[in-house]
Amino acid sequence: MMRILGSCFCVFCFAVVVFAGPGAVRCGKLVDVRSGNMLVDQVVVFDEKGIITATGAASQLLPAGVTPVDLSESTCLPGLIDVHTHITMEPYMSGYEGLGVSYTREAIYGAKNAAQTLRAGFTTIRNVGAGGFSDVALRDGINAGDVPGPRMFVSGPALGITGGHCDNNLLPFEFHYTEEGVADGPWAARAKVREVVKYGADLIKVCASGGVLSKGDQPGTAQYTLEELTAIAQEAHKLGRKVAAHAHGTQSIKDAIRAGIDSVEHSSLIDDEGIELAKQHGTYLVFDIYNDDFIVNKGEKTGLLPESIEKEKKLGRLQRENFRRAFQSGAKIAFGTDAGVYPHGDNAKQFSKMVEWGMKPLDAIRAATLSAADLIGQPDKVGSLEPGHYADLIAVSGDPLSDVKVLESVSFVMKGGTVIRNDSPSK
Ligand SMILES: [Zn+2]
C-alpha cells in the first residue's frame, strides 16, 4: 500500500512516497558497514513506523504481499551522517553581508538547506551553532513533518568568550553587540549551558580556540581556559548533553580533551600528544578537510574577510596532514564538514578528500555512519541497516568501496521508511 504525496517546497518539488504499512527495499548490492562486506541481492524490511524489522538475502526474506522498492541495479548504504553542519547558514553570511540577516531569515534558509542535505543522502545531521535557536525550530518543524529534512541534533547558540570566535566582532564598540552564546568564567559558562538546554539544545557547542571566519583572532590561540571548558563539560554531562568543541589550536585541543569534551571539531593543529590524549579519553576528532578548497577558491566571491582567506591558506594543508596522522595513529574520527561554510548538499565531497589523505573508502564511510552515530549518542538508531534502526537508506550506482566519489551522486534516499527521492534505474 503506497500513496504518493505531492508537496512543493521552495524551489524543489518532491514526490514523497509514504508507506501506509510495512515495506521493503531490494538492493542489488548492499554495503554492510559493520563487517565491511559488500552483500548481494539483499532486502531491508521495515514496519509501519519506519523501523527496520529484518535484513537479509532477498531469496529468503521477502515478505508475502509486499512489493519492494526495486534497487536491484544499485548499491545501498545506511543514510549518511554529518556531525558538523551550520544548516541555517549560507556561505556569504560570515562576512559583513551576514549582519543584515535576521534569525527568522536564517530559519528559512535552514528549511531550504535541510531539504538539500536530505536529498544528498544525509539523513541525520548534528548542527553546531545557530543564532536565535533557529536550528531548534527547524528540528522541531522537521520532526512535526512540516518541512522535509534530516534527523537533526542541534546545539542552538555556540558558547564562546567575549571577542572570541563565537562572538561577533564585525561591529565597532558603539553598537554594543555581543553574541547570545557569550559567557566568561566557569559559572557564567555553566549558566549558559543551562540556558541553551532550557531552550531546546540536544548538545552543547563551545568555541575553545580562535577561528578562521571570525574577525581579529587567530585559529591557533586558546580562548576558553581549561577551567571554563571543564565547567562546561561537567554541566552539560550532568544535564545529559554531549559537548562539541571548536578547536584549531594545539593547546585548546588538549584542554578540550582534558576537560572531558566529547568531540574536537576542526582539530587542525593537533600534535602527537593531542592525538594520544584523544585516544586515551576516547574523544572523537572531526576534521572538515573539504571546505578548505571552497574557502580559498570562492571565499572572496562570497564576501569573506581577506584575513579569513589568509588564515585558511595557512591552516588547510596542516589540517589535512594532521587528519592523516590522527587516523593512522588510531584516533576515533567522525565525519563532519562545516556545511554552510560551503553550499549545503555538497557534504559528500569530503569523502574523496578523506581517501586522498589516507583513509580507505570503507573508513570514510564508517566515519559518516557507525562512528558518527556513536558520537551523537544514537548507535542503536542510525548509522547501520539493522533491526531496530530507522529505515534510513540511500542508494548509488557503482561501488563506493572502490570509488567513494559515487556518494556525491545519490540516486535514492529513504528516511524512516519514507522515500524522499528515487532516480535509480530499475530492471
Ligand atoms: Zn563550524
Side-chain angles (χ1 to χ4, degrees):
M1 283 281 290
M2 285 189 227
R3 60 199 160 90
I4 310 279
L5 294 185
S7 78
C8 273
F9 172 73
C10 192
V11 291
F12 303 102
C13 284
F14 294 93
V16 180
V17 182
V18 176
F19 286 92
V25 174
R26 186 172 187 166
C27 302
K29 290 181 180 167
L30 187 147
V31 178
D32 180 346
V33 289
R34 215 174 280 285
S35 70
N37 293 331
M38 182 70 88
L39 309 175
V40 293
D41 201 18
Q42 296 288 298
V43 69
V44 178
V45 186
F46 50 90
D47 65 15
E48 66 283 352
K49 291 185 180 136
I51 305 289
I52 296 172
T53 53
T55 63
S59 56
Q60 292 162 14
L61 245 186
L62 214 49
V66 172
T67 308
V69 178
D70 178 15
L71 298 176
S72 51
E73 300 293 305
S74 303
T75 304
C76 297
L77 303 99
L80 303 169
I81 304 168
D82 189 335
V83 302
H84 191 123
T85 71
H86 298 283
I87 200 77
T88 61
M89 202 179 114
E90 295 284 311
Y92 79 89
M93 278 166 51
S94 295
Y96 272 92
E97 238 191 295
L99 290 173
V101 182
S102 66
Y103 291 149
T104 39
R105 182 69 183 93
E106 287 182 28
I108 305 291
Y109 276 131
K112 178 196 70 161
N113 295 334
Q116 280 176 340
T117 302
L118 179 60
R119 284 176 63 78
F122 287 79
T123 51
T124 300
I125 61 169
R126 187 177 70 159
N127 200 64
V128 284
F133 293 90
S134 48
D135 55 357
V136 170
L138 181 60
R139 175 200 66 194
D140 293 349
I142 290 168
N143 288 346
D146 298 338
V147 290
R151 301 178 195 287
M152 283 181 61
F153 297 87
V154 307
S155 71
L159 276 61
I161 67 162
T162 297
H165 176 64
C166 286
D167 197 356
N168 188 323
N169 307 323
L170 294 171
L171 292 169
F173 169 74
E174 58 265 39
F175 288 90
H176 303 290
Y177 183 73
T178 299
E179 278 291 352
E180 62 209 287
V182 169
D184 296 305
W187 278 104
R190 278 184 189 265
K192 192 58 81 175
V193 170
R194 293 169 187 174
E195 187 185 316
V196 296
V197 169
K198 171 180 175 176
Y199 293 113
D202 300 303
L203 67 131
I204 305 301
K205 164 79 181 295
V206 53
C207 290
S209 81
V212 171
L213 302 185
S214 40
K215 186 179 176 185
D217 67 351
Q218 287 302 323
T221 308
Q223 294 192 345
Y224 267 130
T225 64
L226 175 60
E227 189 185 12
E228 289 168 315
L229 293 170
T230 304
I232 290 165
Q234 284 179 355
E235 191 66 31
H237 291 160
K238 179 162 67 69
L239 298 176
R241 303 301 197 278
K242 292 195 177 194
V243 187
H246 159 109
H248 290 286
T250 312
Q251 184 60 47
S252 293
I253 291 167
K254 294 178 201 174
D255 286 348
I257 296 169
R258 288 191 172 111
I261 278 169
D262 303 276
S263 65
V264 174
E265 311 292 312
H266 309 298
S267 312
S268 309
L269 301 174
I270 195 165
D271 64 6
D272 288 338
E273 188 189 20
I275 292 170
E276 271 317 301
L277 277 172
K279 285 167 65 178
Q280 277 168 25
H281 288 251
T283 315
Y284 272 99
L285 302 176
V286 177
F287 292 85
D288 51 329
I289 58 169
Y290 160 66
N291 71 34
D292 175 55
D293 288 8
F294 185 85
I295 292 172
V296 171
N297 296 326
K298 306 267 174 67
E300 200 181 330
K301 235 182 172 169
T302 57
L304 292 186
L305 303 175
E307 70 170 86
S308 294
I309 298 167
E310 285 311 306
K311 284 191 260 185
E312 185 62 36
K313 280 181 183 166
K314 286 186 191 143
L315 214 57
R317 187 173 178 92
L318 288 172
Q319 188 194 32
R320 290 172 178 183
E321 288 170 358
N322 288 334
F323 160 78
R324 181 167 56 197
R325 220 153 40 86
F327 169 68
Q328 288 175 348
S329 306
K332 295 202 289 186
I333 290 175
F335 182 99
T337 66
D338 226 357
V341 168
Y342 67 87
H344 294 274
D346 283 352
N347 313 57
K349 288 187 175 176
Q350 186 168 288
F351 284 111
S352 59
K353 284 286 163 202
M354 293 166 94
V355 170
E356 187 185 329
W357 288 88
M359 278 186 164
K360 292 195 180 72
L362 177 63
D363 303 319
I365 292 168
R366 280 177 170 159
T369 53
L370 294 172
S371 299
D374 184 42
L375 169 57
I376 64 172
Q378 304 289 314
D380 302 328
K381 291 289 170 206
V382 296
S384 58
L385 297 168
E386 294 168 17
H389 286 229
Y390 293 117
D392 294 352
L393 182 150
I394 64 168
V396 295
S397 296
D399 178 2
L401 296 183
S402 59
D403 178 12
V404 83
K405 256 187 169 324
V406 299
L407 294 173
E408 295 174 22
S409 315
V410 168
S411 57
F412 176 87
V413 178
M414 185 167 78
K415 179 190 163 198
T418 297
V419 177
I420 304 300
R421 72 182 296 173
N422 188 0
D423 314 313
S424 304
S426 53
K427 267 185 187 161

